[in-house]
Structures are given as C-alpha cells and as structure tokens.
Amino acid sequence: MSQGPTTYRSSASQHSQHSRSISQFLQDETTDEELIQLVAEAKHQVRLLNIENEILEKAIMRLDPTLMQGVSQALELAAKLQSNSSLNIGSFAKSQTSKFGFFDQSNPSRIIVSPSRISTRRVESSAKLGGTAFGTGPRVNIIEKAELVSTEMEIVIANLDKTKRNAARKHGLLRAQLEEVGLRMTEMENAEKMFHNDVIVEGWDKIAQRIPAEIWIRFMTEWVKICDSQIGKLRLRTSTLNTQHSKLKGQIKVKAELSESLRAVDFEKLKIENSECMKLIEKKLQQLGELKKMTGDANLNLTIHKKAMMAQNSYLTNVLKSIKMKEQQTVQLDKERDVIAAQADSLAEKLDEVRKVRMAYEVPDIMDYVHVKANLADLKHSIKMLENRLHIQQIALASLNRKLNAILVKEMEEK
C-alpha cells in the first residue's frame, strides 16, 4: 500500500535525471536536430510518466484512498521546486547570452545556444536541489507496473463490457420504441386515408352540401370494431409472449440452479455420456453410409427400370394411337362401302331398265325416216317464212307508230 509516495519519488528522481541529461547536453556541442530529438524524447517521457501516475493514482484510490491525503502537498512542493529550478536555469541562460549566444526576446523560454561549450554549474545545483526534495526511495519495478496495468485494463474492459451491454439494451429499447412509433404512424396515416375516403369524399352530400351524421356514426362504429379486433389480437399475442417469457424465465432459473449444484463429477459423467453418444453417432453414421450406398444402388436399378418402363409406355401409346387410327379408318371404309353398295344397286336398276328398253326397242323403216325428215324440213321452212313476215310487220308497225307520233306532235303544236 506504500506505492503512492514511491511513485512520486520515482517521478522526482526521473525529473532529476532528466535535468542532469539537460546539463550534460548543455556542456557538449549539439545541433538543432539533436535538440529537437531530445525535446521529443522528453515529451514522450513526460507522457509516459503522466500515464503511470494516473494508473497508480487510480490503484491507490481503489485500494486505500487515505494514502492520497499528503500527495497533493507533495505535488505542490514539487511544482514549486520545478518552477524555482526553471527560474534558475533562465537567469543562468540570460547571464551567459553575452558570452555564448543570445536570448530570443519574442519567446523568453527559448535560448539560442551557440556551438561552443557552456558551463552549467547552477543548473546542476538546481537539479540536485530538485532531486533531494523527495529522496531516492524504493521504486515501483516493471513487474508491479505490469500487474497494475493489467488490473486497470481488466477493470476498464469490465466497465466497457458493462457499458456495451447497457448500450445494447438501450439501443434495443430505442429500436423497439422507433418500431412502435412507426407502426403508430402507419396506423394513423391509414386511419386518416380511410376517414378521408369514406367520410369526406364519399360521404359528402351534394344536395345538402354537408356530411350526414349517419355516415360519421357508421364510420366510427366500424373503426371501433376494427380497433377491438386489433386489441384482441394484441392481447392474445401479449399473453403468448408472457407465457413464453415465463417459460424461458423458469428455464433460466432451472439452469442457474443446476449450474450452482454442478460438481466436477457431473462434468466427468457428462463427458463419459458424450463419448458414448459420439460412439453411437459414429456407428449410426456408418449405418447411414451403408444405407446411402444401398439407396444409391436401389435408385440406379429404379432409374434403369424406369427408363425401360418409359420405353414400354411410349410403345404402348404408339400402339393405342395406331389402333384408334385403324378403327377410324374401318369406320370410314364401312361408310364408303355402304355408299358404294347403294350406287351399285342404283346402277343395277338402271342396267335392268336399259336392258328392258333394249329388249323392247324396234328399228323403224327407212322410208318412214325419210318422210319424217322431209316433214321436218318443210316445218323449218315454214317457221322461217313466218319469222320473216313477223319481222316485216314489226317494221311496218314501228313506221306507223312514228307517223302517229308526228301527227300528235303537230296537233299539239297547233293547239
């Protein structure tokens, strides 16, 4: 528990060592690059010391806060000594600017050093004064520092995990609230659209120029029914979720009780049971592999027989198609046979009639034929003569009609 004052002693001793390194630096010739590098190293050491002091302060405040009572006074004393040492270094640098360099008036804390050697006895004395203020007591070794850092890291990681869990819980709650708000917004938008369509647009009475109260009441009753149905569904869902939550809570409680009552023997028993189950699973897997082989052989035989059956089915379909085609052809041939039979019967009847006519036909006498032909020629001559007379009479009738028309026209003109 004595690590708090020891920390500040180590920091003071490191500060004295750093002042000695500065004095040694001022005694030698240095360049600007080396000076910048030394300043960077000093800043890095200061940063590391600040981190170590923070870790040690947290460890002390966690273990025993009473040890930090005199630390503030020690820090104030160290700050005063550091300011005194810096003032001594500044006065010494101002006194030495006439010999070895010059003082920058724009930045009083900066000294432009010449390449020559500089005497720094007052700086060493001030550094020694700062080192003797705290003494050189026991320091915190690397192992203890590593332990402190590891404990602080564990605490920080635990706090970070706790913060992550809380953040995840809050994030889930906020996401659920956002989903609830989104559902409410969609429901409100749907209700607004339904109200606008059912009441304002469709319920508007053009004759009375108003919305009837019956439409409003009907809309509200229907909306209440819809809300009641949704409330019933939500209640049912809530009851199921509550039952699931209680079931899961009971399972978690049982598991917690079992985890408290478990012993090493139970784990050994479980390991033995798991090994036996693994052996049984391996055996079943081997049987499954054999069954898969048998199934593959059966599937191969099935595919072969299936292909043969498909070929037989295709041949059977072709045979059935040919049978149907032959039946249609036989029906058509039967029809043609009936038609041909009817034609044969009619031709047979005609043949019988022709035979009867032929049997009853007698060849006339030649002289009768000559007389008939002569009479026919006389008749044709007489017909021709009559046609000529008819043509002549038609011409005469046409001339008489023309004359009659001319006479009638003259009479009409004279009248």
Side-chain angles (χ1 to χ4, degrees):
M1 299 301 291
S2 62
Q3 292 177 357
T6 307
T7 305
Y8 296 101
R9 289 174 187 173
S10 63
S11 63
S13 61
Q14 289 178 2
H15 178 71
S16 63
Q17 290 177 1
H18 183 61
S19 63
R20 291 191 188 94
S21 65
I22 291 170
S23 64
Q24 290 176 3
F25 163 70
L26 293 172
Q27 287 176 2
D28 298 331
E29 294 180 356
T30 56
T31 60
D32 293 337
E33 289 80 4
E34 292 176 352
L35 181 61
I36 292 167
Q37 186 177 2
L38 288 171
V39 170
E41 290 177 358
K43 287 181 179 179
H44 182 66
Q45 290 178 1
V46 169
R47 193 181 298 112
L48 292 176
L49 290 172
N50 288 326
I51 293 168
E52 289 180 1
N53 290 330
E54 288 178 2
I55 292 170
L56 289 170
E57 186 177 356
K58 288 180 181 178
I60 291 167
M61 291 298 292
R62 189 178 67 253
L63 296 173
D64 191 2
T66 58
L67 295 174
M68 294 295 293
Q69 292 178 359
V71 175
S72 60
Q73 298 176 359
L75 288 172
E76 291 177 357
L77 182 59
K80 289 179 181 179
L81 291 173
Q82 188 176 3
S83 63
N84 291 327
S85 63
S86 63
L87 288 172
N88 291 327
I89 292 169
S91 63
F92 174 74
K94 287 180 181 180
S95 64
Q96 295 296 325
T97 51
S98 62
K99 292 181 181 180
F100 302 103
F102 59 93
F103 187 71
D104 191 0
Q105 298 293 331
S106 64
N107 191 0
S109 62
R110 182 180 178 186
I111 300 171
I112 308 300
V113 183
S114 64
S116 62
R117 299 175 65 86
I118 301 171
S119 175
T120 56
R121 293 178 182 177
R122 295 181 67 184
V123 177
E124 289 178 356
S125 64
S126 64
K128 289 178 181 178
L129 182 61
T132 55
F134 294 97
T136 58
R139 299 180 180 179
V140 181
N141 56 12
I142 297 172
I143 297 171
E144 293 175 349
K145 289 180 181 179
E147 289 178 357
L148 291 173
V149 171
S150 63
T151 53
E152 288 296 326
M153 285 178 66
E154 289 176 358
I155 292 167
V156 170
I157 289 167
N159 292 327
L160 183 62
D161 292 334
K162 187 176 179 180
T163 306
K164 283 182 179 179
R165 288 195 296 272
N166 292 328
R169 194 180 296 111
K170 289 181 181 179
H171 185 266
L173 181 61
L174 291 172
R175 187 167 59 188
Q177 290 177 357
L178 287 173
E179 289 179 358
E180 184 180 0
V181 170
L183 291 172
R184 287 182 180 179
M185 287 177 66
T186 54
E187 288 177 358
M188 291 172 69
E189 289 176 356
N190 293 327
E192 193 270 333
K193 289 179 182 177
M194 189 182 295
F195 177 78
H196 186 271
N197 292 325
D198 295 340
V199 178
I200 297 173
V201 177
E202 295 179 358
W204 180 258
D205 192 357
K206 294 180 180 180
I207 298 171
Q209 295 294 319
R210 64 185 180 85
I211 298 171
E214 293 83 5
I215 294 171
W216 170 260
I217 294 167
R218 186 173 65 250
F219 175 78
M220 290 302 295
T221 53
E222 290 178 355
W223 180 250
V224 168
K225 288 179 182 178
I226 292 167
C227 291
D228 290 333
S229 65
Q230 289 180 356
I231 288 166
K233 290 179 182 178
L234 291 172
R235 282 179 179 173
L236 182 62
R237 189 179 297 175
T238 305
S239 63
T240 53
L241 290 173
N242 288 325
T243 54
Q244 289 179 359
H245 182 265
S246 61
K247 190 184 291 183
L248 292 172
K249 197 172 181 180
Q251 290 178 359
I252 290 166
K253 188 176 180 181
V254 170
K255 287 182 180 179
E257 291 176 354
L258 290 173
S259 64
E260 289 177 356
S261 62
L262 287 174
R263 297 290 183 272
V265 179
D266 297 328
F267 289 104
E268 293 293 333
K269 184 179 178 182
L270 185 62
K271 191 183 289 184
I272 293 166
E273 290 178 357
N274 288 330
S275 63
E276 290 178 356
C277 291
M278 290 298 293
K279 290 179 181 178
L280 184 62
I281 288 167
E282 289 178 356
K283 186 177 179 181
K284 295 295 182 183
L285 287 173
Q286 290 178 359
Q287 292 178 0
L288 182 62
E290 292 177 357
L291 288 173
K292 284 183 178 179
K293 290 180 181 178
M294 293 172 66
T295 306
D297 295 334
N299 286 325
L300 183 61
N301 293 324
L302 181 63
T303 52
I304 293 168
H305 289 293
K306 192 175 181 181
K307 287 181 180 178
M309 187 179 70
M310 288 173 70
Q312 291 292 329
N313 286 326
S314 63
Y315 180 72
L316 179 62
T317 52
N318 293 325
V319 170
L320 292 173
K321 287 180 181 179
S322 63
I323 288 168
K324 288 182 179 178
M325 192 181 293
K326 296 295 183 183
E327 287 177 354
Q328 291 176 359
Q329 289 178 358
T330 51
V331 171
Q332 189 174 0
L333 290 172
D334 290 334
K335 290 179 179 179
E336 290 178 357
R337 184 188 62 186
D338 294 335
V339 171
I340 290 168
Q343 290 178 358
D345 293 335
S346 63
L347 291 172
E349 290 177 357
K350 288 180 180 180
L351 181 62
D352 293 334
E353 290 178 357
V354 169
R355 285 178 179 175
K356 288 179 181 179
V357 170
R358 185 177 178 184
M359 292 297 291
Y361 181 74
E362 293 179 357
V363 178
D365 193 5
I366 294 171
M367 292 304 292
D368 293 334
Y369 178 72
V370 171
H371 290 299
V372 169
K373 291 293 284 183
N375 291 327
L376 182 62
D378 293 335
L379 289 171
K380 287 180 179 180
H381 181 70
S382 61
I383 289 166
K384 193 172 182 179
M385 292 293 289
L386 291 171
E387 287 177 353
N388 291 326
R389 287 179 184 177
L390 178 63
H391 184 63
I392 291 165
Q393 288 177 0
Q394 287 177 353
I395 292 168
L397 181 62
S399 64
L400 290 173
N401 287 325
R402 283 195 298 271
K403 289 178 181 180
L404 181 62
N405 289 325
I407 293 166
L408 289 172
V409 168
K410 285 181 180 181
E411 288 179 354
M412 291 293 292
E413 288 177 356
E414 288 176 357
K415 288 179 181 181

